[in-house]
Amino acid sequence: MSADEVLRRGAVAWLEWRRVEVPDLSDAKLIGMNLRGADLHDLNLRRADLSGAKLIAANLRGANLTNAILDGADLVDANLRSIEAITASATGADFRRANLADANLMGSNFTAVDLRDANLAAVNAIAIDLTSARLRGADLDRINLHRATLCYTDLVQTNLADADLSQAILTEAELGGAHLYRANFTQARLSRSHLVSVYAAVANFDRANLTKADLSWAHLTKASFTKAILHGTNLRGANLSGANLAGASLAGADLTGANLSYANLGGAVFECANLTDTLFTGAIW
């Protein structure tokens, strides 16, 4: 009897079978199955089709889901810690409050997923597609989102401390109130993104494109914006004290009431910028 056939017989049969067998669910067709609370830890689920499956509170810790299909699956409160899910597809899946810490999601398609309040600490998400995903309140501490796509993504009040978002695409992303301490946005594309009141002390925005982004009231002390593009960027009331803006272009930016005390402004361009009540005490030109 195959592993997927045993699963269909229910939890008791599955647990008894696991005691004597090493299940292999690679290529299994588990579409729409009710696997609520199922123990699937460390299993081989490569290329398995779990579309629409009910995996609420299931234990998939350490499972191999490489190239698996999880489109529309319900993974609320699931344990997905340390899973291997390279180039998996999970469009529209529900991962609310799921634990994905230390997972490898490189190259996966997570468009329109719900990851609100999920744990994604130290996840490898290089080149992942999170377009239109909802991550409000999620913990993304130390996540690697290098070259990831996060257009229209909701990252409000997320924790992105020490995260790597270098070369990521965040066009029109929502990051209001996010914790971005020491986050790396080198060469990231943040045009028309919303970063109102973010805490981004010591963050790195070198060569990033922040055209028409909203950074009003953001805490950006000692952040680096060398050669960044800030055309028409809203920096009203932003705290940029000690920031490095060498070679940055702030043409048309709104710096009304911003604090640039002791900032490095060498070679920065302020053509047509609004500098009303801007504070430049000790700034280096």
Side-chain angles (χ1 to χ4, degrees):
M1 186 180 295
S2 66
D4 53 327
E5 289 174 331
V6 177
L7 263 178
R8 294 177 194 281
R9 293 179 60 185
V12 175
W14 173 253
L15 289 172
E16 289 178 353
W17 195 70
R18 278 208 71 169
R19 292 192 185 100
V20 294
E21 297 286 344
V22 179
D24 185 352
L25 287 165
S26 57
D27 299 300
K29 303 300 181 185
L30 304 169
I31 301 167
M33 278 193 65
N34 184 358
L35 298 167
R36 185 186 187 108
D39 183 5
L40 304 170
H41 77 277
D42 295 326
L43 288 189
N44 181 7
L45 286 152
R46 291 173 64 92
R47 301 178 301 279
D49 192 344
L50 290 145
S51 302
K54 305 299 181 185
L55 289 152
I56 301 166
N59 181 12
L60 290 121
R61 179 170 182 147
N64 189 339
L65 289 149
T66 295
N67 293 321
I69 302 172
L70 292 154
D71 299 339
D74 189 345
L75 293 128
V76 173
D77 294 318
N79 183 0
L80 298 150
R81 192 178 187 99
S82 302
I83 62 167
E84 190 82 3
I86 299 171
T87 60
S89 178
T91 60
D94 192 345
F95 291 92
R96 280 174 297 157
R97 299 183 302 279
N99 183 1
L100 292 109
D102 301 308
N104 186 358
L105 309 177
M106 185 170 63
S108 289
N109 183 357
F110 271 50
T111 56
V113 299
D114 192 341
L115 283 155
R116 284 175 292 174
D117 299 311
N119 180 3
L120 293 107
V123 165
N124 178 9
I126 293 174
I128 195 174
D129 190 345
L130 283 158
T131 300
S132 299
R134 289 180 287 175
L135 292 106
R136 187 176 295 237
D139 184 1
L140 297 98
D141 181 67
R142 294 170 289 118
I143 192 171
N144 188 345
L145 287 160
H146 174 65
R147 294 191 296 107
T149 301
L150 298 112
C151 300
Y152 314 107
T153 302
D154 182 356
L155 293 154
V156 172
Q157 295 179 349
T158 54
N159 175 22
L160 281 155
D162 292 301
D164 185 354
L165 292 114
S166 56
Q167 298 181 39
I169 305 172
L170 295 110
T171 305
E172 295 194 45
E174 299 285 344
L175 291 120
H179 186 78
L180 309 176
Y181 177 68
R182 291 196 310 196
N184 181 11
F185 289 92
T186 302
Q187 292 184 292
R189 286 148 56 179
L190 292 139
S191 57
R192 299 186 301 281
S193 58
H194 300 92
L195 298 101
V196 178
S197 300
V198 296
Y199 182 85
V202 206
N204 188 342
F205 293 92
D206 291 347
R207 301 187 301 284
N209 186 343
L210 292 133
T211 299
K212 295 185 177 179
D214 189 350
L215 286 147
S216 55
W217 309 105
H219 189 106
L220 301 160
T221 56
K222 297 184 180 179
S224 184
F225 290 88
T226 60
K227 297 183 179 179
I229 300 171
L230 296 128
H231 296 169
T233 302
N234 183 1
L235 288 156
R236 292 177 66 93
N239 185 353
L240 287 149
S241 59
N244 186 358
L245 289 140
S249 179
L250 295 104
D254 186 354
L255 288 146
T256 303
N259 181 3
L260 280 81
S261 298
Y262 306 102
N264 181 359
L265 306 175
V269 176
F270 289 91
E271 182 181 0
C272 298
N274 186 345
L275 302 174
T276 305
D277 297 322
T278 305
L279 187 63
F280 290 102
T281 304
I284 301 170
W285 295 86

